[in-house]
Amino acid sequence: MVRSRYPSEAASSASAERSRTIFSSRAEVMSLACQECNLFRQSRECMLEAQERKKGTIYVALVGNPNVGKSVIFNQLTGAHQIIGNWPGKTTGVARGQLKFEDVEYDIADLPGTYSISSEIAEEREVREYLDKARPDVIVNIVDANFLERNLALTLELITMRIPMIVAVNLMDQAEKNGISIDFDGLRDLLGVPVIPTAGLTGRGIPEMLREIRRIAGKEIRGIEKPFHTPVIAETIEKVRSAIERYFPESPTLWIAERLLARDEKLTKMLETVDPGASMLVEEQRAALEKKFGDDIYSILASDRFAMASSIVSKTVKRTQVKEIPIEDRIHNLLTHRVYGLLSLIAIAGSSFLGIFLLGDFIASGLSEWFDSLQPGFIGLFSDAKLGEFLWNGLLGGIFSVISIALPFLIPLFIILAIMEDSGYLARVAFVMDGALHRLGLHGKAFIPILLGYSCNVPACIGCRIMETDRDRILSVFAVTLIPCAATTVVILGLVGTFVGIEWVVALYAFDILLLALLVRAASRLMPEKSTGLIMEMPPLRRPSLKVVLRQSWFRAKDFVYIAIPLLIVIGVILGAVQYFDWLDEISDAMSPLTVGWLGLPAFAGILLVFGILRKELTLVMLGSVAGTLDFASVMTPDQMIVFTLVVMLYIPCAATIAALIREIGVRKAAMITALEIGLALFIGGIAFRILTIIG
Ligand SMILES: Nc1nc2c(ncn2[C@@H]2O[C@H](COP(=O)(O)OP(=O)(O)OP(=O)(O)O)[C@@H](O)[C@H]2O)c(=O)[nH]1
Ligand SMILES: [Mg+2]
């Protein structure tokens, strides 16, 4: 059957000879493609092998522009906890989850947001390769109903892959509020694929989407026989397609023709081997288009897709003006204004931190007093007081310290960050801060992971993948590791804030920002390449969803409860044993030249700093166990508290952050950052101790 597709075979012996050559080369192409399961539907077995599929399960990929609600829908479907927020580029890498609905099993993949799948930009390549290699049974192309023009350009590109596809028009709740009405039947007819209105946050349209997925799984897309392009470009694509289609039977030839025109390296090489003439034709057609439009082929194809998308929207979408938009516009103008934007940032950030401190301090001190008051009664239960102390400090102390010291500060911080993230404010801050960050040699977008670093450095480091160049990514990862995360905030607020004074908290944060600015500027001088201008899609301002905010905050706080408490119990038991056998003094003595001699801290600080590498809040939480009280003023002077907190704030990225650093920027750079920060913290700590002693 394959042979019969070669017209040359029926002709003269010379051409028969040629066809054999083509055939053997083609077999090579086939086997190459088969090995990689790339693009070509060779045989069903091959595709099945590619993904170790479970029989009866429908494999679905969620694909769409950034920030259209893919992860919200993914979480709805699978119960997973993918990061959600109102700024583009949160999802990095492919997440998979499963669900069963009306007796059918679905395997869902949440992919990074992308505007196209043609270029070599990381997320475009990642999505393209995933679709090529994994060949999902169905693509669900999620589009934002509010910005259909831009979103449909990707739809038109995806359709040519001829994987069964559904378009989920998401954020319908918001589109309706914005006075947008869509003719879904018209859209379906023009696109040739099913179109379903959805609102991921409320679950609207999700069951219908699943039923539609089941209906079309395994069926070929029909009716996409012509390129979705304006006549001149469509004609060129058709010419290329007819020259190459015989080499790619049962393959999405429109897609392959566009890929060849757009200089896909692998496909071009394959074609050169099997048919240099056809390869030449592609070159000529490309050159002709580039000459005609005076642009590179990639831009020509992309802008043509946008033009097509726009013409589809003009036939299917109606807008009526609504009153609410101007208010949002006015808030947007205020938040992104050169002066007022900065002032509102200072006001919002300042009042947030003050609010977190006042609320956290109120709850934490009340809980701690109550907990301390229980101690004598508990120890009195045991005839051996040392055993009682061991159990109190080791077991109960750990759990209670997390509850009474950590969570009162953490939960408000997480809630405020989630509100900033989900409302779209974070992206506006990035815009406002772009100028200032550029002066440091950083990109404005870096402000998003930097601000998220106040919650936890680990996702913030991963979030730096939104940066466009390696240089910007490395610089912003470095900046993130200098941000005091929520765990460090617990130490700053719980120790310095509670026992020294809020002005010292402000001083510590201000010093940290100053140090970050100096270090990042110095590092950027070492990498002199210029940072690119700010290219970032501004997400719409929204009233944050209570559900999303609470979920995000809970998942971040849960980490502290589920990981910190067991870890604290284990460490508490070890520490209890160390205390029980009176080894604490020996360990502390060994470290005292550094802790006591250089930093002027009490000797027990050494062991806290060692365990603090695991998680920074341990330094404070364990202080309770080591000192045997939550009234820290009785075991440290205010100066010691400031120096100790300063060291904890700077001394090392915690273990989880180091692991993230290694993954993101490699062992060598991670080690350099870690060593630099340890040295710097000890140096600054020692100097701070001496200055504080002098000024008394
Ligand atoms: N009003 C409304 N908001 C939604 C809906 N779906 C998602 N959102 C909001 O849209 C924003 C983006 O959602 P995500 O699920 O993170 O978007 P994504 O497509 O995964 O984004 P990336 O991973 O960055 O590409 C969040 O602020 C969500 O709360 C919806 O149906 N209605
Ligand atoms: Mg996402």
Side-chain angles (χ1 to χ4, degrees):
M1 175 229 166
V2 173
R3 274 173 179 260
S4 67
R5 285 179 179 261
Y6 288 91
S8 50
E9 265 192 330
S12 68
S13 61
S15 59
E17 183 56 41
R18 186 169 165 263
S19 84
R20 264 202 297 279
T21 324
I22 292 172
F23 186 68
S24 67
S25 310
R26 185 167 169 278
E28 238 179 78
V29 173
M30 295 269 287
S31 69
L32 176 65
C34 199
Q35 265 170 25
E36 303 202 6
C37 274
N38 195 3
L39 279 177
F40 319 105
R41 253 173 218 275
Q42 305 308 320
S43 65
R44 193 147 170 77
E45 294 72 48
C46 168
M47 288 305 151
L48 294 177
E49 243 179 44
Q51 214 188 33
E52 292 159 18
R53 296 178 182 219
K54 258 173 57 196
K55 222 172 165 214
T57 298
I58 302 177
Y59 289 81
V60 181
L62 306 182
V63 185
N65 282 187
N67 211 30
V68 296
K70 297 179 294 298
S71 298
V72 166
I73 291 185
F74 178 77
N75 290 353
Q76 279 269 3
L77 290 173
T78 62
H81 313 131
Q82 280 281 88
I83 297 176
I84 297 169
N86 190 8
W87 51 280
K90 298 161 297 284
T91 304
T92 52
V94 180
R96 297 257 305 273
Q98 289 76 31
L99 87 143
K100 195 168 180 178
F101 176 76
E102 295 177 350
D103 286 333
V104 180
E105 308 230 4
Y106 299 82
D107 180 291
I108 317 277
D110 182 19
L111 301 182
T114 180
Y115 296 105
S116 166
I117 49 170
S118 294
S119 87
E120 290 308 313
I121 296 172
E123 61 273 13
E124 298 198 14
R125 198 181 51 226
E126 189 165 9
V127 174
R128 181 174 70 236
E129 286 182 354
Y130 182 84
L131 297 178
D132 272 355
K133 290 181 183 166
R135 288 304 288 197
D137 295 312
V138 178
I139 292 176
V140 175
N141 171 217
I142 301 176
V143 297
D144 183 343
N146 302 280
F147 304 99
L148 266 188
E149 271 114 320
R150 192 191 56 212
N151 282 249
L152 286 181
L154 174 67
T155 310
L156 299 182
E157 204 176 350
L158 289 170
I159 284 178
T160 54
M161 289 187 95
R162 294 189 69 161
I163 297 173
M165 183 167 124
I166 291 171
V167 174
V169 183
N170 196 34
L171 290 120
M172 274 310 296
D173 52 331
Q174 213 173 40
E176 279 159 7
K177 266 196 220 142
N178 290 344
I180 294 172
S181 66
I182 299 170
D183 167 14
F184 291 101
D185 291 337
L187 199 55
R188 185 198 56 211
D189 293 343
L190 286 170
L191 292 172
V193 297
V195 178
I196 308 235
T198 59
L201 271 187
T202 57
R204 172 174 153 196
I206 303 293
E208 291 80 355
M209 186 182 94
L210 285 168
R211 287 186 198 112
E212 201 60 27
I213 291 174
R214 186 180 55 196
R215 191 180 69 79
I216 64 164
K219 291 188 186 154
E220 279 284 324
I221 299 196
R222 299 254 168 249
I224 319 294
E225 300 309 335
K226 290 221 158 25
F228 268 116
H229 279 288
T230 43
V232 182
I233 296 172
E235 216 172 89
T236 310
I237 295 174
E238 276 299 355
K239 271 187 203 150
V240 172
R241 169 155 83 160
S242 54
I244 55 113
E245 68 185 341
R246 56 195 173 138
Y247 306 123
F248 305 109
E250 295 177 49
S251 298
T253 42
L254 268 183
W255 164 246
I256 294 171
E258 278 205 41
R259 299 286 313 134
L260 280 166
L261 273 172
R263 294 197 175 82
D264 182 295
E265 218 175 289
K266 222 182 269 174
L267 282 172
T268 307
K269 265 198 199 123
M270 286 178 187
L271 190 65
E272 263 167 16
T273 351
V274 291
D275 190 346
S279 180
M280 188 78 87
L281 178 124
V282 176
E283 301 261 322
E284 283 164 11
Q285 293 297 323
R286 184 192 305 128
L289 271 190
E290 288 186 336
K291 187 159 175 239
K292 184 171 171 61
F293 289 94
D295 208 341
D296 66 279
I297 186 72
Y298 176 72
S299 311
I300 296 171
L301 291 174
S303 48
D304 197 53
R305 268 192 297 268
F306 277 104
M308 292 304 287
S310 174
S311 101
I312 293 177
V313 167
S314 67
K315 289 180 196 130
T316 51
V317 178
K318 275 205 194 78
R319 286 166 200 274
T320 45
Q321 194 64 32
V322 283
K323 284 197 293 301
E324 286 144 71
I325 300 169
I327 298 167
E328 283 161 13
D329 277 358
R330 253 178 285 158
I331 299 175
H332 168 86
N333 292 343
L334 178 84
L335 294 178
T336 50
H337 189 272
R338 211 162 43 90
V339 178
Y340 300 126
L342 206 61
L343 289 180
S344 29
L345 170 64
I346 294 168
I348 290 172
S351 55
S352 300
F353 273 97
L354 193 68
I356 292 167
F357 170 71
L358 293 177
L359 184 71
D361 188 48
F362 176 72
I363 301 173
S365 54
L367 283 173
S368 302
E369 263 171 40
W370 175 71
F371 183 60
D372 269 354
S373 73
L374 298 179
Q375 188 188 21
F378 179 83
I379 294 176
L381 294 176
F382 299 87
S383 51
D384 179 355
K386 261 190 147 181
L387 179 67
E389 269 175 33
F390 166 71
L391 288 176
W392 178 265
N393 291 336
L395 248 64
L396 294 178
I399 301 172
F400 206 80
S401 299
V402 170
I403 297 171
S404 69
I405 304 177
L407 292 183
F409 294 113
L410 287 178
I411 292 177
L413 173 65
F414 290 148
I415 290 180
I416 285 177
L417 277 175
I419 291 174
M420 286 187 177
E421 209 180 331
D422 203 47
S423 60
Y425 180 55
L426 214 54
R428 278 154 185 90
V429 178
F431 179 77
V432 169
M433 292 302 291
D434 188 48
L437 288 189
H438 261 276
R439 248 165 267 144
L440 302 181
L442 258 182
H443 192 287
K445 251 203 288 193
F447 207 74
I448 293 180
I450 288 177
L451 212 72
L452 288 177
Y454 282 99
S455 145
C456 178
N457 283 186
V458 175
C461 280
I462 299 169
C464 290
R465 290 188 196 166
I466 59 167
M467 308 310 297
E468 254 122 76
T469 64
D470 270 357
R471 170 198 180 271
D472 284 353
R473 201 164 54 87
I474 292 166
L475 277 180
S476 44
V477 163
F478 176 48
V480 162
T481 62
L482 292 164
I483 293 292
C485 67
T488 316
T489 304
V490 168
V491 185
I492 298 172
L493 295 184
L495 195 62
V496 175
T498 309
F499 296 98
V500 187
I502 190 78
E503 67 282 5
W504 281 97
V505 172
V506 176
L508 282 173
Y509 277 111
F511 176 73
D512 182 73
I513 291 175
L514 193 72
L515 186 72
L516 182 148
L518 288 174
L519 288 176
V520 170
R521 196 175 154 82
S524 76
R525 291 265 161 103
L526 295 175
M527 300 191 231
E529 186 189 326
K530 251 201 147 25
S531 188
T532 48
L534 184 69
I535 311 168
M536 192 181 72
E537 181 203 346
M538 192 60 72
L541 269 182
R542 301 198 178 114
R543 185 178 316 146
S545 145
L546 185 67
K547 197 166 120 190
V548 171
V549 167
L550 291 183
R551 255 176 84 108
Q552 292 280 96
S553 311
W554 166 239
F555 288 124
R556 285 173 178 155
K558 204 171 80 172
D559 179 50
F560 277 83
V561 180
Y562 287 6
I563 300 177
I565 290 184
L567 194 68
L568 272 165
I569 292 175
V570 174
I571 294 175
V573 171
I574 297 171
L575 202 69
V578 167
Q579 276 172 326
Y580 191 77
F581 295 110
D582 284 332
W583 291 335
L584 197 60
D585 289 344
E586 286 172 38
I587 299 174
S588 302
D589 285 350
M591 293 185 70
S592 67
L594 193 66
T595 47
V596 182
W598 172 246
L599 294 172
L601 297 172
F604 60 69
I607 197 133
L608 301 179
L609 291 176
V610 170
F611 282 113
I613 297 172
L614 291 176
R615 296 178 66 90
K616 290 206 170 175
E617 80 277 19
L618 290 185
T619 52
L620 183 66
V621 168
M622 282 174 55
L623 181 56
S625 306
V626 173
T629 175
L630 291 181
D631 177 21
F632 301 135
S634 62
V635 289
M636 273 182 158
T637 66
D639 284 358
Q640 287 177 327
M641 288 181 184
I642 294 169
V643 173
F644 180 72
T645 306
L646 192 60
V647 173
V648 169
M649 187 166 89
L650 301 172
Y651 83 121
I652 195 169
C654 71
T657 308
I658 294 177
L661 280 179
I662 294 176
R663 210 177 45 223
E664 295 302 310
I665 57 174
V667 178
R668 208 171 58 88
K669 290 198 188 77
M672 267 164 60
I673 290 180
T674 308
L676 174 79
E677 287 177 13
I678 294 175
L680 205 69
L682 293 178
F683 175 72
I684 292 174
I687 302 289
F689 162 59
R690 279 157 188 84
I691 293 175
L692 286 170
T693 313
I694 292 167
I695 61 173

